Amino acid sequence: HPLILGGIASTVDTIRTFPSAGAYKLTVRSLEAWQRGVMFSIVDSYIYGNVMYDLASILLLPAWIILYLLCLANPRAAEDAASTSLSQQQQTNQEEGQSKVKKE
C-alpha cells in the first residue's frame, strides 16, 4: 500500500538521520515525519498544483488494491464458489426439467 511504503521510507530516513536516538523517539519522529509528508503532499497539490498526490491517488492506490487482492485471494475458495454455483445451476435445471415433465 502506498501509505505503508511512505511510512517505511520515513522510518528508514529517520533512523539514518538520528542513529543515536532511542526506539521510542525514533518511532515518534518517524510517525511525525510520515504525517507531515502526507500533509505536505496534499497541501502542495492544492496550493501549487503539484500533481504527485493526485497521480498517486488515482494510479497507485487502485493498482495496490488490485495487487493486494490478487496476491491474497484464496484460489481454493474461488474454485469452491464456482463449483457450488455450477452445482446449484445444474440442480435448478434438473428441477425445471422435472416440473415440465410433470406438466405434460
Side-chain angles (χ1 to χ4, degrees):
H1 195 275
L3 291 175
I4 293 173
L5 288 177
I8 292 170
S10 69
T11 302
V12 169
D13 186 52
T14 303
I15 292 171
R16 285 185 46 214
T17 306
F18 305 105
S20 62
Y24 178 75
K25 273 202 163 195
L26 282 175
T27 304
V28 170
R29 286 181 177 177
S30 296
L31 289 173
E32 287 176 353
W34 176 75
Q35 288 174 342
R36 287 184 184 135
V38 171
M39 181 194 64
F40 287 141
S41 68
I42 295 170
V43 169
D44 282 350
S45 173
Y46 285 116
I47 294 176
Y48 303 113
N50 187 352
V51 296
M52 289 306 294
Y53 177 77
D54 298 330
L55 289 176
S57 297
I58 292 171
L59 300 175
L60 287 178
L61 186 62
W64 273 100
I65 291 172
I66 291 170
L67 181 65
Y68 177 79
L69 291 173
L70 288 175
C71 290
L72 296 180
N74 187 354
R76 188 77 170 152
E79 290 173 8
D80 292 343
S83 65
T84 303
S85 68
L86 279 175
S87 64
Q88 288 174 349
Q89 185 179 14
Q90 289 172 350
Q91 184 180 11
T92 304
N93 289 342
Q94 288 176 352
E95 290 172 358
E96 288 175 359
Q98 290 173 356
S99 65
K100 286 181 183 178
V101 170
K102 288 180 182 179
K103 288 181 181 178
E104 295 175 358

